[in-house]
Amino acid sequence: RSVNIVAFGNERDGFSEDNQPPSLIETYLGRSALVSQIDSSLSACQVGSPVFTEYQACVFGNVRLVVHDCPVWGIFDSDWYTSRSLIGGADIIVIKYSVNEKNSFQELKDSYVPMIKKTLNHCSVPVIISAVGARKNGVPCTCPLCTSDRRSCVTTSEGVQLAKELGATYLELHTLNDFYIQKYFGGVLEYFMIQSLNQKSSEKMKKRKKTQKCHRVQPPQLEQPEKMPILKGEASHYDADLHNLLCCCQCADVAFYSEDLSTVVEAHKIILCAVSHLFMLLFEVKSPADICDASIVQMAQSLFVVEAGAALPPALDGVSPVRVLVKDSIFCSCLPEILHFIYSGAFQWERLEEDIKKKVKDPEKTEHVLEKVKCILKTPGKLNTVKECRSRQMKQLYNTSLRLFFNTPVLADVIFKIQGATVPAHRAVLVARCKVMAAMFNGNYLEANSILVPVYGVSKDTFLSFLEYLYTDSCCPASILQAMSLLICAEMYQVMRLQHICELYIITQLQSMPSRELASTSLSIVSLLKKAK
């Protein structure tokens, strides 16, 4: 049995003395009573500089523990394959930074968090974010020679927001003493170790039972009481949900036509606008003055025409699709493949290239179509100089998301009324991400033909957190009580992954909270037990 941990980031203060203290990982391994037989080695890249330190040890007696500590974020730029392999093979990921290094934190947030999020979309791994150090509240220098305020600190709210984006557990370690290392950081880390081992043991037992299953007649079995499954992370199916929405065409509100009317492809404005500024311009979410990019405006005008007053008859779900004429016949013939690419997350570029090549069977036409796709995904004001676009480079083009449309009236087609307030939303997103709402908006219910939908049994803040998860696939409750309320809401709408996230958050917080702090809260053990049941 083994546990693999990958740690990214440098938690050391760049303005301390040259005699730097041991790292967070090194300190934990050296002080934890559960860890023994520690061995370490450096791994170097081609130019000879160390990329990460590999530690091997034993934990819980006979469990093999392998830790890769990568203090330099440049591994994502210099060796994408190695960094992705490390994340793919990890059971736990630790992201660490110094609270006194604002520039490093900003670089992490802007450049490397999007890469980590893309990789985590394909695996379910618990993430711990550790903010290390005591904040230095000195007055920053304001002279002209200081081009940036390097002494400004990373605030708690910034760290919590980062954890929210990654669905991670946030910890503040003011100093690397026994309490913060062993009881606080170590307690959370060891909890995730145990969960990982339980998950692996469960999967191993199922595989063993399957292989040892005999074909003789089995005696009748008495009905057993239902057991609670072992709590474990559930893989994200965010991209798959949106892709399934395209396949079933529920709530489609736009229809693309070829000039000879031989091709009809239905889609959803909200998904297209979340990916592309060009579609925002086409559907009047933004004006040419907002875009400030002539190439995007010219491409929209040369490629599409929205036919005024040409909405199709309402479908079964009451939606009247807007009719859009596609001027380019070659592009129109490839539109189904392009939409599948967009709805699948807009990062599988190699697969799109192969699909277009098979469709048009002409290198020049293939390049013609792909260049238009790049322009559709282009960020305004940025030059698109990518000669051979690859999946890992799509982050430079695809930097918008459904988060832009969360709790905004733009393109909204349903309004929830809750506690006297109104919350706008989009049926396509709700139908794709929640089966209960899919049945509600497509079945024989009043909500199917109503714009105003009342919501009962949950508070406005809890319902907004629930909707935010549907739009962004991330959730970071502010407290145990909020997580309990969100857990009830997730159960009510049968969103299982959100339930598991809330359960994991509650357990982690209770397990890592000092007993004195726990005693000072208003939590009731009996109330927690009732909700757990």
Side-chain angles (χ1 to χ4, degrees):
R1 296 190 301 171
S2 65
V3 175
N4 293 297
I5 301 173
V6 177
F8 292 108
N10 186 3
E11 72 281 16
R12 290 167 173 167
D13 190 348
F15 299 97
S16 297
E17 293 79 6
D18 294 335
N19 186 18
Q20 291 279 12
S23 67
L24 171 63
I25 298 298
E26 186 180 356
T27 306
Y28 167 74
L29 294 175
R31 294 186 181 182
S32 176
L34 300 176
V35 180
S36 60
Q37 302 177 22
I38 306 169
D39 185 24
S40 65
S41 62
L42 288 176
S43 175
C45 62
Q46 293 179 354
V47 296
S49 59
V51 175
F52 58 81
T53 304
E54 179 179 314
Y55 298 94
Q56 296 196 20
C58 289
V59 65
F60 305 129
N62 60 348
V63 176
R64 182 168 170 262
L65 177 65
V66 179
V67 184
H68 292 93
D69 191 4
C70 310
V72 182
W73 285 104
I75 187 174
F76 281 89
D77 299 321
S78 62
D79 195 346
W80 169 255
Y81 178 79
T82 298
S83 59
R84 188 163 184 172
S85 298
L86 287 174
I87 295 177
D91 298 312
I92 304 167
I93 293 176
V94 178
I95 296 176
K96 45 199 173 70
Y97 63 86
S98 170
V99 296
N100 295 304
E101 289 290 327
K102 187 65 173 283
N103 291 343
S104 299
F105 176 82
Q106 199 63 42
E107 183 182 10
L108 158 65
K109 186 177 179 181
D110 295 340
S111 302
Y112 301 112
V113 167
M115 298 185 192
I116 295 174
K117 286 173 68 175
K118 282 292 184 184
T119 307
L120 289 178
N121 281 341
H122 305 282
C123 57
S124 176
V125 181
V127 180
I128 302 173
I129 292 182
S130 300
V132 181
R135 292 178 176 84
K136 299 178 180 179
N137 296 318
V139 179
C141 179
T142 57
C143 71
L145 295 177
C146 294
T147 57
S148 62
D149 180 10
R150 298 191 63 191
R151 295 189 65 186
S152 59
C153 303
V154 183
T155 63
T156 300
S157 60
E158 289 175 317
V160 171
Q161 180 61 33
L162 178 63
K164 190 173 183 180
E165 290 182 22
L166 291 173
T169 299
Y170 176 74
L171 304 177
E172 282 206 354
L173 311 176
H174 301 304
T175 182
L176 300 185
N177 59 18
D178 287 339
F179 170 75
Y180 283 106
I181 289 294
Q182 295 189 48
K183 295 185 179 180
Y184 195 34
F185 175 77
V188 175
L189 187 64
E190 288 153 13
Y191 167 76
F192 284 126
M193 287 186 198
I194 293 171
Q195 290 299 313
S196 175
L197 292 171
N198 286 342
Q199 180 180 346
K200 290 180 179 180
S201 298
S202 176
E203 292 172 353
K204 188 175 181 180
M205 286 297 296
K206 289 179 181 179
K207 187 175 181 180
R208 182 181 299 175
K209 287 180 179 179
K210 189 174 181 180
T211 56
Q212 294 179 349
K213 185 177 180 180
C214 56
H215 299 283
R216 67 176 184 269
V217 178
Q218 298 292 329
Q221 299 290 324
L222 295 176
E223 184 176 353
Q224 299 295 321
E226 185 176 352
K227 293 183 179 180
M228 189 68 181
I230 295 176
L231 181 63
K232 59 182 179 179
E234 181 181 340
S236 170
H237 39 78
Y238 183 77
D239 293 334
D241 288 342
L242 298 183
H243 186 263
N244 291 337
L245 178 67
L246 175 66
C247 297
C248 67
C249 285
Q250 293 180 0
C251 302
D253 55 4
V254 58
F256 293 97
Y257 277 78
S258 60
E259 289 186 316
D260 59 0
L261 304 181
S262 61
T263 304
V264 182
V265 182
E266 292 186 327
H268 306 80
K269 292 180 187 177
I270 180 68
I271 308 298
L272 300 177
C273 290
V275 175
S276 169
H277 291 272
L278 186 146
F279 285 119
M280 288 186 188
L281 179 65
L282 189 68
F283 298 122
E284 300 180 346
V285 174
K286 289 187 176 182
S287 66
D290 298 325
I291 298 293
C292 295
D293 192 315
S295 63
I296 294 179
V297 176
Q298 292 172 2
M299 179 63 69
Q301 294 173 348
S302 64
L303 194 57
F304 300 108
V305 174
V306 178
E307 298 188 358
L312 298 174
L316 294 176
D317 53 13
V319 179
S320 300
V322 173
R323 185 166 172 170
V324 178
L325 185 67
V326 184
K327 297 180 181 180
D328 190 318
S329 59
I330 300 175
F331 183 88
C332 188
S333 66
C334 300
L335 196 55
E337 288 76 17
I338 296 170
L339 290 178
H340 277 282
F341 164 74
I342 290 175
Y343 276 69
S344 298
F347 66 91
Q348 297 178 352
W349 184 260
E350 293 88 348
R351 181 174 177 180
L352 176 65
E353 283 183 328
E354 291 299 321
D355 291 342
I356 301 299
K357 287 177 183 178
K358 291 179 182 178
K359 192 68 174 284
V360 300
K361 299 177 181 178
D362 185 314
E364 291 186 3
K365 292 181 179 179
T366 299
E367 187 64 24
H368 167 80
V369 173
L370 292 176
E371 286 300 322
K372 291 187 181 298
V373 175
K374 291 178 186 178
C375 187
I376 288 175
L377 299 178
K378 180 185 176 185
T379 300
K382 289 188 178 180
L383 293 175
N384 183 12
T385 58
V386 182
K387 295 290 185 181
E388 293 184 5
C389 199
R390 288 292 176 263
S391 294
R392 64 189 176 94
Q393 296 168 314
M394 288 309 297
K395 68 182 182 68
Q396 300 171 354
L397 306 173
Y398 175 54
N399 68 342
T400 55
S401 70
L402 287 175
R403 185 184 292 275
L404 294 174
F405 299 94
F406 166 64
N407 197 22
T408 64
V410 179
L411 298 178
D413 52 7
V414 62
I415 298 175
F416 292 103
K417 187 174 181 181
I418 178 168
Q419 291 185 331
T422 57
V423 178
H426 307 81
R427 291 175 188 260
V429 178
L430 305 178
V431 166
R433 299 281 288 139
C434 176
K435 292 181 180 179
V436 171
M437 289 194 176
M440 183 172 71
F441 287 121
N442 292 294
N444 296 321
Y445 297 97
L446 291 175
E447 292 84 356
N449 299 311
S450 300
I451 299 227
L452 193 63
V453 177
V455 177
Y456 306 102
V458 294
S459 68
K460 177 190 173 184
D461 291 339
T462 300
F463 192 70
L464 278 173
S465 297
F466 172 72
L467 288 182
E468 184 178 15
Y469 170 80
L470 298 185
Y471 277 74
T472 65
D473 202 41
S474 64
C475 166
C476 188
S479 65
I480 293 178
L481 294 177
Q482 184 183 0
M484 292 300 304
S485 301
L486 189 55
L487 173 62
I488 295 171
C489 183
E491 195 277 334
M492 184 165 62
Y493 286 100
Q494 293 297 293
V495 182
M496 297 302 296
R497 183 169 182 267
L498 180 57
Q499 287 182 248
H500 292 161
I501 292 175
C502 292
E503 291 172 7
L504 192 59
Y505 175 87
I506 294 166
I507 292 173
T508 303
Q509 291 297 311
L510 289 175
Q511 197 263 352
S512 62
M513 189 181 295
S515 57
R516 186 173 299 175
E517 182 181 348
L518 181 61
S520 66
T521 65
S522 59
L523 292 172
S524 164
I525 297 301
V526 175
S527 176
L528 286 174
L529 179 60
K530 287 181 178 179
K531 288 184 171 67
K533 282 180 173 293

